[in-house]
Amino acid sequence: MEDTGEIMRFAFGHEWQSRKALYRSDEAALALALGDPQTRILPLWRGKPHLGALGLCWSTLADPLLAHAKQPFLYLGTHEGRNIFAADISSWEPDALDRAALAMFTDTSVQIHPNAPKGAYFGELRLAMMQVPGVEAALAATARALFNWHRTHRFCAACGAETQTAAAGWERVCTTCAAKHFPRTDPVVIMLVTYGNKLLLGRSHGWPERMYSALAGFIEPGETLEAAVSREVWEETGIRVQDIRYMASQPWPFPNSLMFGCIAQAQGTALTLDDELEDARWLSREEVLLAWTGNHDHVLPARNGSIAHYMIGRWLAGHV
């Protein structure tokens, strides 16, 4: 990051007091921590954290809402002197569930558990990420990513047998061949491509209307960050780039990515789009500012809280 003293201006990048990794295999210590009345437990329902007016809505072990929780709970460590766990209560089935909303790119539906405190609800983290305090957002993002990994890795990649949760949610172990499996994180490059006073932004199929953002793509085996930036920009837009520099990174639990933010200079402006993008366009600094403030007729900015929004803001301010 170019300015290490800068306050974090995007979601999920904050650190909490300690992850206490050594406790993950200490069943006695975990049981003691779980029963502590000061311990906080974050319920999640199908990837949605339990939210309240001021941030996350926490539970304790005695909360009837946790009757739906899968065991064992996920241990996240400690913050402000309290042990932190997360619980997946996805087996709960709300009344009148809008399944179509759950499948949308932006799920605006909320689910309210009958035992929840007044005003509490399960909501999409992507929509709430800048409303939740920084450390709480990071905790919720970590829990979301880990629960998604458990959901999609129930069987052993070595022999195909079923696996079981271990190490307080940070491992899965095969019941047949004893192979250990660890949480998956997919590295992604996301890049600002500039040409003089212009910035290249694109939109994918299925995105909300008028929404444009920085180009992005998965890093392939054997690639450096720079090689991935160069390849992805060329494949998606036909643009060759140079002077590639790293800016910052962001965990992005939708579902399990780590975004590496970079900036690069284009060698030309002629666009040749592939089928990954619905559209891409060069915008002048003045046009980007209009989009940033919601005043552009055809372009909406990247979502506030995303690393793309942060990087575009840095470029607009002349810091990169």
Side-chain angles (χ1 to χ4, degrees):
M1 189 179 301
E2 299 202 350
D3 183 357
T4 56
E6 184 182 26
I7 297 173
M8 193 77 66
R9 288 195 172 92
F10 49 85
F12 313 139
H14 291 74
E15 297 180 6
W16 54 96
Q17 182 180 344
S18 174
R19 295 191 175 217
K20 298 193 83 168
L22 294 178
Y23 270 48
R24 295 172 186 170
S25 299
D26 190 335
E27 295 185 5
L30 289 172
L32 189 63
L34 193 58
D36 186 342
Q38 296 298 313
T39 289
R40 288 181 165 184
I41 304 172
L42 175 64
L44 288 92
W45 180 82
R46 302 182 190 180
K48 294 182 174 185
H50 208 207
L51 301 168
L54 301 177
L56 299 179
C57 185
W58 299 94
S59 294
T60 63
L61 188 59
D63 193 330
L65 185 149
L66 297 181
H68 305 278
K70 293 180 180 178
Q71 300 291 336
F73 292 168
L74 169 65
Y75 184 57
L76 294 172
T78 59
H79 187 63
E80 296 179 341
R82 301 186 184 202
N83 288 289
I84 307 292
F85 289 81
D88 182 6
I89 70 159
S90 296
S91 62
W92 168 59
E93 192 75 9
D95 295 333
L97 180 61
D98 186 351
R99 297 186 183 278
L102 298 181
M104 295 179 66
F105 179 85
T106 303
D107 174 14
T108 59
S109 69
V110 300
Q111 290 72 39
I112 300 175
H113 194 280
N115 295 122
K118 184 178 180 180
Y121 63 95
F122 290 98
E124 174 57 51
L125 181 58
R126 193 165 4 201
L127 297 178
M129 59 185 174
M130 293 304 284
Q131 303 168 19
V132 175
V135 170
E136 291 194 351
L139 288 163
T142 302
R144 188 190 195 283
L146 281 165
F147 284 142
N148 181 72
W149 172 70
H150 283 291
R151 181 181 61 84
T152 57
H153 289 74
R154 293 175 49 228
F155 298 96
C156 179
C159 73
E162 192 167 359
T163 58
Q164 292 182 340
T165 302
W170 291 86
E171 294 180 17
R172 295 191 71 87
V173 178
C174 180
T175 56
T176 298
C177 72
K180 290 187 175 183
H181 304 277
F182 301 93
R184 170 175 173 169
T185 298
D186 298 318
V188 175
V189 285
I190 182 166
M191 45 274 179
L192 295 185
V193 180
T194 66
Y195 189 85
N197 197 45
K198 295 181 179 181
L199 187 65
L200 179 59
L201 298 179
R203 59 173 283 110
S204 293
H205 302 278
W207 278 12
E209 187 177 358
R210 298 167 53 208
M211 179 180 172
Y212 282 74
S213 186
L215 304 181
F218 289 101
I219 301 172
E220 293 186 346
E223 278 191 319
T224 62
L225 296 180
E226 295 84 356
V229 167
S230 180
R231 175 185 55 77
E232 282 289 342
V233 175
W234 169 251
E235 289 177 353
E236 293 185 357
T237 66
I239 297 291
R240 294 294 188 186
V241 296
Q242 60 190 8
D243 298 331
I244 300 165
R245 290 173 290 146
Y246 170 81
M247 290 179 65
S249 64
Q250 180 186 35
W252 191 248
F254 308 103
N256 296 79
S257 296
L258 176 60
M259 313 293 286
F260 291 94
C262 298
I263 187 168
Q265 293 182 14
Q267 297 179 11
T269 58
L271 298 175
T272 304
L273 304 187
D274 72 355
D275 56 7
E276 288 188 43
L277 292 180
E278 179 182 291
D279 188 30
R281 59 179 65 187
W282 288 101
L283 298 176
S284 68
R285 191 177 298 270
E286 292 75 19
E287 289 178 298
V288 174
L289 182 58
L290 284 174
W292 182 270
T293 57
N295 294 312
H296 197 287
D297 291 336
H298 306 292
V299 177
L300 289 175
R303 192 184 305 277
N304 189 17
S306 68
I307 193 172
H309 189 275
Y310 163 82
M311 294 193 303
I312 293 169
R314 297 281 287 170
W315 178 79
L316 273 175
H319 294 158
V320 293

